[in-house]
Amino acid sequence: MNHNKLLFVFLFLCITCFSFAQNARVKGVILDDHNRPVPDVNIASLGITKQSDANGFFEISVPSNKKLSLIFTHISLKMMSLTVSLKPNEVFVFNPVMSSSEEQMGEVFVSSRNKKRVQGIATIDAATIKKIPGANAGIENILKTLPGVNSNNELSTQYAVRGGNYDENLVYVNEVEVYRPFLIRSGQQEGLSFTNTDLVQNVDFSAGGFQAKFGDKLSSVLDITYRKPTQFGASLEANLLGGSISVDAVSKNKKWSAVTGVRYRNNSLLVNSQDTQTNYTPTFADIQTNINYDISDKWQVSFLGNISQNKYLYQPLTRETKFGTIDQPMSLAVYYEGRERDQYDTYFGALKTTYKVSSSLTLKFIGSLFHTIEEEHFDILAQYRLGNVAEEGPTQVDFTRGIGSQLNHARNDLDALIANVEIKGFKEWKNDSQLEFGLKYTRESIRDRIVEWEMIDSAGFSINPPIVILPKNNQPYQPYTGPLLPYQDVRATNFNTINRFSGYAQYNKKSELGSNQIWYNVGARFQSWDVSGAVVEGKNQIVFSPRAQFAIKPDWDMDMVFRLSGGLYHQPPFYRELRDLDGVVNPNVKAQESVHIVLSNDYNFKMWNRPFKWVTEFYYKSLSDVNVYSIDNVRIRYIANNNATAYAQGLDFRLNGEFVPGTESWISFGYLRTEENYENKGYIARPTDQRLKFAMLFQDYMPNIPSVKLYLNLVYNTGLPGGAPAYSDPYLYQNRLNDYRRVDVGFAKVFVDNSTKVAKAKWLKNFKELSLGLEIFNLFNNQNAITNTWVRDVYSKNQYAIPNYMTSRVFNIKLNARL
């Protein structure tokens, strides 16, 4: 036995020595753009990771006679790779220069600069966001993986944040507030988001407790900055859902620069994967430009312009949806006639000038104009059959519970013109303190006509609305002699003008408390507005919103920041919030009010010798003067009477870092509870009460072939409230939709990118980036419901909630190129 042990040790030593004899070494000194040594760089290959020392020196052993790649990563520098194939015992000297890129971590990075960190702002580099797969790829696709941000509609770019709705989110591009169309009621009508990812330089996002300089909304701020190019460039993206082209241009004297993008999208691939069979012909296209001119070192002018046209032709044919339980499976079959034709044309322009009065004072003047012309016209007849699925087969119905039809008609037209004029100032002192202030005037001119009605019959007998007193209808046993009325009928014409005047001031200070660093921000904003042109004369209203933030970084070995923020937040009503269920404008709707508190902890640490961040946030909102609403797909309809109170509370966690060397991934978890009390009837769940949320954004690459990459986008949300039938009491309908489960995955072969250090083939010489990928949307083909359709049972008079399912599994091919 001892001889066996000695033989084993001898063989092990021989094999080990042989293995070492077959290895080669790579060593060198890593420098930055300024030729300074860079410590703590991770060098990874074949699962082995080494780090550069304080002098930037590194050395790593690699197998010989084998082509492999070394990945160099650093928390604040661009990832780069080196491909080698070395002889036994060869020593290869490599002295790389790693380019600066603020806090870049792989292909998606989140900045942790103190300024953003203490404000509770997540900063995402949008240059590579489009690489993450999603049915609606872009910035919003990434936001939905963050804690506290919820959406159960992959066709829409809208999102709800911490119990709010889609109308409670601020979106800025180059400090200019941007808007979306008014009449859109479903994600498949929505088309393109305003933000063109090809033009974006930086994205900041705050999920609550934001500063006074941001506008008057209750939930979140998305602050986007477009790129100011320094040299010529062009990019192209093409896939089965559409494509985009962008061009960077710079004048010879560098005073003029412009970035322009054109996009086209067609959702047919996704819509055709739903239960409803259709003839679907959408055309979503836009052109966007950002032009900059440097008049002098102190004075710059920029123009942001966008023209967008969304045409939507929709002709449903048939639908078959199976639902129910294992014991009682049911089926709904629908046959359609008619079509829907919608068109949304939007025009946007903003002129911004920045003047540096002195080294410490900067003034900005901003003017913008938004014009939208919208049409929503449809006549669709749906004839349905509701029944039990037979035991003989899933396509057979052995008992019909309901037969009926539904005729929907709409001729809705809207023309809106929104003008803004604003002045902003920034004053800085040498003691790490700043003062920011601004004044803004907004004029909103709305011309809106809504004509929308619905006829319903069950078993051949028309159903009248329950809110109208009519003779008793006891068909088919007794003849009905009363009038036949639409089940729902909304008719209104509104010509309204809304004038708003707002302003803010805030003070920022960085200081020390003992040996601890502290930051604080104190500010306030106000808004005054009035609504004219309504049947009832509107009165002038004014709100005042104080806000504050405080952060402390203790003098600990652990890199940890604690933050407390909050204040009194108001949301003065936009036009849609003024219009009630009958389409009539109530000019005296009050601003919704929220007392908001956010307590957070931000912890930077290292695990496996790689950087990680753990963020925990607890929040609570107490809301008053709440404007109760219902959501159908993405269409929000308000009661417009401020007769409710509400609250939202929750806890968000996020862990992000280099789970795989050289790439950043993150895991998010959120708990939310939001309820409302309407007219003192008691608290019930709000339409956005998404109790639990889990999301993962994961990036990986093949160790031996780092140019082959994987992107995973996973979202799990517990079910939202399922809504209630028309004219019913929502307190009696507190059922929920099924949980939302979706996984999108992408595979890409990268031929060229910024980190490539291998000699390029001739045909690749002109490319800065080139990749070809395969995407699979809804990888596991889960059935996710967005809303319910309510169908009557003619025998029991019950109404069944039929889930409206979203898209099934879809394959997509994508090409990305940049010159």
Side-chain angles (χ1 to χ4, degrees), residues 42-98:
N42 292 315
I43 304 98
S45 179
L46 302 178
I48 299 173
T49 302
K50 298 289 185 178
Q51 272 196 333
S52 60
D53 62 19
N55 299 314
F57 177 80
F58 76 95
E59 183 172 3
I60 185 170
S61 178
V62 298
S64 59
N65 297 323
K66 183 177 182 180
K67 187 176 181 180
L68 52 86
S69 295
L70 282 76
I71 308 299
F72 296 76
T73 61
H74 189 270
I75 191 171
S76 61
L77 300 173
K78 285 186 178 180
M79 183 191 78
M80 63 179 298
S81 64
L82 169 70
T83 301
V84 295
S85 179
L86 304 177
K87 297 177 181 179
N89 298 320
E90 181 180 356
V91 177
F92 182 76
V93 178
F94 179 59
N95 299 317
V97 176
M98 299 186 71

Side-chain angles (χ1 to χ4, degrees), residues 133-389:
N136 238 320
I139 294 173
E140 296 84 1
N141 184 44
I142 297 296
L143 293 182
K144 293 173 185 179
T145 67
L146 299 179
V149 183
N150 298 308
S151 173
N152 64 339
N153 188 344
E154 62 268 14
L155 291 177
S156 173
T157 58
Q158 304 306 312
Y159 51 90
V161 179
R162 293 180 175 174
N165 67 31
Y166 309 140
D167 291 337
E168 297 179 9
N169 304 311
L170 284 162
V171 180
Y172 294 96
V173 175
N174 290 358
E175 301 184 84
V176 181
E177 185 174 359
V178 298
Y179 306 88
R180 60 187 177 96
F182 290 71
L183 297 183
I184 287 176
R185 66 175 67 206
S186 70
Q188 64 193 42
Q189 297 173 338
E190 196 170 300
L192 297 163
S193 165
F194 180 93
T195 307
N196 187 335
T197 307
D198 293 336
L199 314 186
V200 169
Q201 173 181 311
N202 192 59
V203 179
D204 291 345
F205 179 75
S206 172
F210 43 86
Q211 297 178 353
K213 66 179 179 181
F214 298 112
D216 296 292
K217 296 285 187 180
L218 296 181
S219 291
S220 73
V221 174
L222 178 62
D223 190 14
I224 299 163
T225 304
Y226 273 3
R227 185 170 64 252
K228 185 177 180 180
T230 57
Q231 61 182 2
F232 174 80
S235 68
L236 166 70
E237 179 184 312
N239 59 72
L240 300 181
L241 294 170
S244 64
I245 299 174
S246 69
V247 177
D248 294 1
V250 181
S251 65
K252 290 184 178 181
N253 60 6
K254 305 294 185 180
K255 286 185 173 292
W256 286 93
S257 66
V259 55
T260 302
V262 179
R263 295 181 293 173
Y264 170 80
R265 183 175 175 87
N266 186 320
N267 279 340
S268 297
L269 185 68
L270 297 168
V271 174
N272 290 337
S273 71
Q274 296 179 290
D275 282 349
T276 303
Q277 302 301 308
T278 67
N279 289 327
Y280 177 65
T281 311
T283 303
F284 305 135
D286 79 343
I287 180 171
Q288 200 163 142
T289 187
N290 181 39
I291 303 172
N292 298 276
Y293 177 57
D294 295 336
I295 300 175
S296 66
D297 292 339
K298 292 186 175 183
W299 191 9
Q300 295 87 37
V301 178
S302 65
F303 172 78
L304 174 65
N306 177 71
I307 299 175
S308 173
Q309 183 180 77
N310 292 352
K311 290 184 178 180
Y312 176 83
L313 300 177
Y314 180 73
Q315 184 181 10
L317 302 175
T318 62
R319 167 184 173 179
E320 184 175 3
T321 301
K322 292 181 172 59
F323 65 103
T325 63
I326 296 177
D327 295 332
Q328 190 180 25
M330 301 184 71
S331 175
L332 174 71
V334 186
Y335 304 91
Y336 296 95
E337 295 180 27
R339 69 171 189 170
E340 178 175 354
R341 182 182 63 82
D342 304 332
Q343 182 165 331
Y344 312 97
D345 297 335
T346 60
Y347 307 88
F348 175 83
L351 187 66
K352 172 183 170 183
T353 178
T354 303
Y355 184 69
K356 196 168 185 179
V357 179
S358 65
S359 60
S360 61
L361 177 62
T362 301
L363 296 177
K364 298 179 181 179
F365 301 89
I366 303 173
S368 67
L369 197 64
F370 173 77
H371 187 203
T372 179
I373 304 170
E374 305 177 24
E375 296 179 358
E376 183 184 44
H377 296 175
F378 58 79
D379 291 282
I380 296 178
L381 173 64
Q383 297 173 306
Y384 68 86
R385 180 187 181 190
L386 174 69
N388 291 0
V389 176

